[in-house]
Amino acid sequence: MKPLPLLFAALGLLASAPTRGDEPRRSGRGPEVLPPGLLPPANDVSGDEAFIARRDAAGAARPKPVARKAKDYSIAELSAFISNGETHAILPKGSVVFCPDAVATRVSNKAVGKPVAWPDFLVANRNWISTHEVTLPQIRGEAPLSESDRKAFAAAGRIVIATLRGNPVTVLPVTVTPP
């Protein structure tokens, strides 16, 4: 006799044998040991009234409701928008270091037109925008921009944006510490 039919016969006998799932539980665990009339857990959850009653019974003071404060800022309040009429770029507030009167209308607090990424906007508008790389002390307001830089900004007649490693940054005003 060949081994293949014997294998199939043995598998058939194993498949027809009773499994442990058919036997009743005898371990003391399972649904038969639960108390009768048990409700699902969602029905046992205490409500607000039950918590308030427990707190009042314990003699604890009722907390005063505190109104949620509305946020008084968003990305628009923290940004300046520079536009050319049909597109705009978002800059951090305080990043415009110099703005001549001739192009002052292009800087605003509202978005106008389609948003464009800063590098693309800068390349497209190089004729009226320039950048100036600033140092960390200048960003923190510890060191002022030099007077020669300010004269160069005025002579060029362009909007000057402060950058650090090519990205626009806020430049805080210089604070004078008393001696």
Side-chain angles (χ1 to χ4, degrees):
M1 193 157 138
K2 294 188 176 185
L4 194 56
L6 283 174
L7 181 66
F8 285 124
L11 286 175
L13 286 173
L14 287 174
S16 64
T19 61
R20 283 194 58 75
D22 296 338
E23 297 176 7
R25 293 184 182 196
R26 296 187 191 109
S27 65
R29 294 177 293 177
E32 61 271 353
V33 296
L34 293 176
L38 186 66
L39 297 175
N43 293 340
D44 293 342
V45 175
S46 299
D48 287 343
E49 296 83 20
F51 284 124
I52 291 170
R54 276 184 26 202
R55 183 189 62 218
D56 291 343
R62 286 186 172 231
K64 293 182 181 178
V66 178
R68 179 179 259 185
K69 292 183 181 178
K71 288 186 178 177
D72 55 346
Y73 63 90
S74 68
I75 193 161
E77 280 81 31
L78 299 174
S79 303
F81 298 91
I82 186 167
S83 68
N84 65 1
E86 52 199 43
T87 60
H88 72 272
I90 300 174
L91 300 173
K93 212 166 231 176
S95 64
V96 178
V97 178
F98 178 79
C99 183
D101 294 335
V103 289
T105 58
R106 297 187 181 212
V107 178
S108 69
N109 292 331
K110 293 183 182 178
V112 177
K114 181 180 135 191
V116 177
W118 165 247
D120 299 333
F121 188 84
L122 179 62
V123 168
N125 298 289
R126 270 287 185 195
N127 56 340
W128 56 276
I129 298 175
S130 64
T131 60
H132 178 70
E133 199 71 17
V134 293
T135 63
L136 287 175
Q138 289 172 333
I139 291 172
R140 290 189 291 254
E142 297 168 354
L145 294 171
S146 69
E147 195 58 39
S148 62
D149 285 341
R150 292 197 178 274
K151 288 179 182 176
F153 299 159
R158 297 179 177 181
I159 294 177
V160 179
I161 308 298
T163 58
L164 180 68
R165 298 183 196 119
N167 299 310
V169 293
T170 300
V171 175
L172 296 176
V174 177
T175 55
V176 178
T177 56

